[in-house]
Amino acid sequence: MNPKLTKSEIEFWLRQTDPAELEKLWQAADRVRREHVGDAVHLRGLLEISNYCRRSCAYCGLSRHNRSLARYRMTAEEILDAARQIAAFGYGTVVLQAGEDDGIEAAWLADIIRTIKQTTPLAVTLSLGERSLDELRLWRQAGADRYLLRFETSDPELFRLIHPPVGGQTLSRIDILRQLRSLGYEVGSGVMVGIPGQTYRSLAEDIDLFRQLDLDMIGVGPYIPHPHTPLGKGRIRPSVSPAEQVPNTEEMTYKVIALTRLVCPEANIPSTTALATINRESGRELGLQRGANIVMPNCTPPHYRQLYEIYPGKACISETAQACQSCLAQRIRSIGRTIGTGPGCRQRRTTPCDTQSESAAVRSAPNR
Ligand code: SAH
């Protein structure tokens, strides 16, 4: 394992606001990124296959309580057509994401996964919420390679408040992440930055948990309030003192990306759409320069894309997949990076990670 930045050191950096000090953090993260995962930026074609959801998460616009949202589920033919287009673009992975939709029947999706695996070179990533062990096993047997399930916050009380349980479910997301690992998936998780009720300490715990879980993929993005949700409306207001509440800012998101890279040097870390949403000019690029190595271009057919409204004002909402491809390629090249080829799996090093010096670099910060 990589040498430890302690939780207190992580928290110290999360609270850091001095630009000269933060510059050291960005540089350390960028160096560790280059040494461990290189300059290639891997592209994962994102397909938002359904916006039906059985849950009532207080942060998410897909919540079943949001009655103002028209619902859709892509057909098998639409999914396969889009996957073929993703392969034709040269992306290495298709990500099938959705609300927690019981209408995504396990055997139906297994057939789609099998077809994608037989007819394209794509790696298949699933991001479908909390599904049963049997379903996860079936999809793995059908050829799915990876699964993304953010634990959203490591604070169990806050998690229950913003992510109410649904009938009969007993496993935590962290239990499910362990199941996914034992089924042989590459496992991804992550959190939102700045959810109401998230303290600096709990965010430091989140980053420490990324390390403990030895995640293959880690996605973090700013929390963006959705006006049709209880958190967005301020109906749920976790009580945290202003000095402890993490802000949902761009800079805080970069700090989390950079610290995540330092504690999980081999992980695949995307520069997320939520980040690009709060800084359309250069959010993607700055994420890539402060620890990230992945971008997930949205390849959902445009008429559905509008309806996958987890938060409002999402970047790139009306672009065609083609337009996204050239825009992102240009952005990646403009910062001197290359576009990855192949599936871009996590590469495990046989030798121990050598981030000692990087941790030391960010440890030598004054005024602690
Ligand atoms: N149903 C799946 C996929 C959800 S969408 C699941 O629950 O895993 C993927 C991610 O979007 C979520 O995990 C969450 O972290 C993020 N998200 C949801 N609402 C958001 C909001 N209002 N602001 C920022 N990110 C949000």
Side-chain angles (χ1 to χ4, degrees):
M1 274 316 283
N2 48 308
K4 287 205 159 194
L5 270 178
T6 66
K7 272 186 246 182
S8 299
E9 286 169 321
I10 294 171
E11 185 178 342
F12 162 83
W13 277 104
L14 291 172
R15 290 179 185 275
Q16 180 60 261
T17 54
D18 179 341
E21 290 301 313
L22 286 174
E23 194 53 44
K24 292 185 195 163
L25 179 62
W26 312 147
Q27 286 184 12
D30 199 43
R31 253 192 323 269
V32 171
R33 186 271 308 154
R34 187 176 317 115
E35 279 168 17
H36 289 263
V37 295
D39 278 339
V41 175
H42 289 279
L43 300 175
R44 323 287 204 201
L46 176 65
L47 273 186
E48 296 150 333
I49 64 173
S50 161
N51 71 350
Y52 284 92
C53 192
R54 67 191 188 122
R55 305 205 75 112
S56 49
C57 301
Y59 48 86
C60 182
L62 304 192
S63 160
R64 69 192 168 96
H65 295 309
N66 183 3
R67 307 227 185 273
S68 60
L69 186 66
R71 303 286 170 162
Y72 73 91
R73 185 177 303 119
M74 288 174 70
T75 65
E77 210 37 58
E78 287 172 324
I79 297 171
L80 293 171
D81 278 350
R84 281 189 279 269
Q85 192 189 29
I86 287 169
F89 283 148
Y91 301 166
T93 299
V94 59
V95 182
L96 305 180
Q97 191 181 80
E100 212 167 285
D101 176 11
D102 289 326
I104 296 178
E105 204 258 313
W108 174 81
L109 187 67
D111 277 344
I112 292 173
I113 295 167
R114 254 189 302 275
T115 308
I116 295 174
K117 295 300 290 186
Q118 283 162 6
T119 58
T120 75
L122 295 172
V124 174
T125 301
L126 304 178
S127 175
L128 305 169
E130 296 165 44
R131 304 288 302 224
S132 74
L133 180 58
D134 286 345
E135 291 171 317
L136 299 173
R137 185 183 294 114
L138 186 72
W139 296 333
R140 175 79 188 123
Q141 286 164 350
D145 301 276
R146 313 183 184 129
Y147 204 98
L148 301 174
L149 185 72
R150 291 186 178 180
F151 59 75
E152 316 293 4
T153 169
S154 58
D155 172 345
E157 233 170 87
L158 179 60
F159 185 70
R160 260 194 306 280
L161 186 68
I162 64 171
H163 184 91
V166 288
Q169 273 190 335
T170 51
L171 291 180
S172 72
R173 285 198 163 199
I174 292 158
D175 295 329
I176 298 172
L177 291 171
R178 295 207 169 96
Q179 283 185 337
L180 288 163
R181 172 80 75 207
S182 69
L183 290 170
Y185 282 94
E186 270 193 54
V187 180
S189 194
V191 298
M192 284 171 286
V193 176
I195 346 163
Q198 183 181 56
T199 62
Y200 285 95
R201 187 67 193 173
S202 83
L203 184 53
E205 298 272 358
D206 297 346
I207 295 170
D208 188 58
L209 186 56
F210 296 159
R211 168 169 52 196
Q212 286 174 41
L213 293 170
D214 188 23
L215 295 169
D216 304 305
M217 304 166 285
I218 304 164
V220 296
Y223 161 68
I224 300 173
H226 188 300
H228 297 144
T229 59
L231 267 188
K233 284 181 189 146
R235 291 228 180 108
I236 293 186
R237 267 181 225 258
S239 63
V240 164
S241 79
E244 295 309 312
Q245 171 67 50
V246 172
N248 60 340
T249 56
E250 187 185 348
E251 183 171 272
M252 187 59 64
T253 306
Y254 298 133
K255 289 188 221 176
V256 179
I257 291 175
L259 290 163
T260 299
R261 172 59 68 200
L262 293 183
V263 303
C264 299
E266 297 174 348
N268 283 319
I269 302 178
S271 185
T272 57
T273 302
L275 181 55
T277 297
I278 61 171
N279 177 354
R280 281 163 203 263
E281 286 281 287
S282 55
R284 287 258 194 233
E285 290 87 331
L286 286 168
L288 290 171
Q289 290 172 311
R290 294 172 177 179
N293 69 319
I294 299 285
V295 171
M296 295 168 67
N298 194 327
C299 299
T300 309
H303 54 292
Y304 292 136
R305 212 183 289 184
Q306 322 271 350
L307 299 175
Y308 197 81
E309 201 194 44
I310 51 183
Y311 52 79
K314 225 198 253 177
C316 315
I317 196 85
S318 51
E319 315 299 330
T320 61
Q322 190 87 56
C324 279
Q325 186 201 27
S326 43
C327 166
L328 288 170
Q330 196 269 328
R331 284 174 188 267
I332 290 165
R333 290 198 195 99
S334 77
I335 55 168
R337 303 275 280 278
T338 58
I339 294 174
T341 51
C345 298
R346 176 189 179 171
Q347 304 293 322
R348 282 181 187 274
R349 289 202 163 191
T350 44
T351 51
C353 303
D354 54 350
T355 50
Q356 194 99 46
S357 57
E358 299 308 334
S359 297
V362 295
R363 272 179 175 156
S364 65
N367 64 32
R368 237 178 329 143

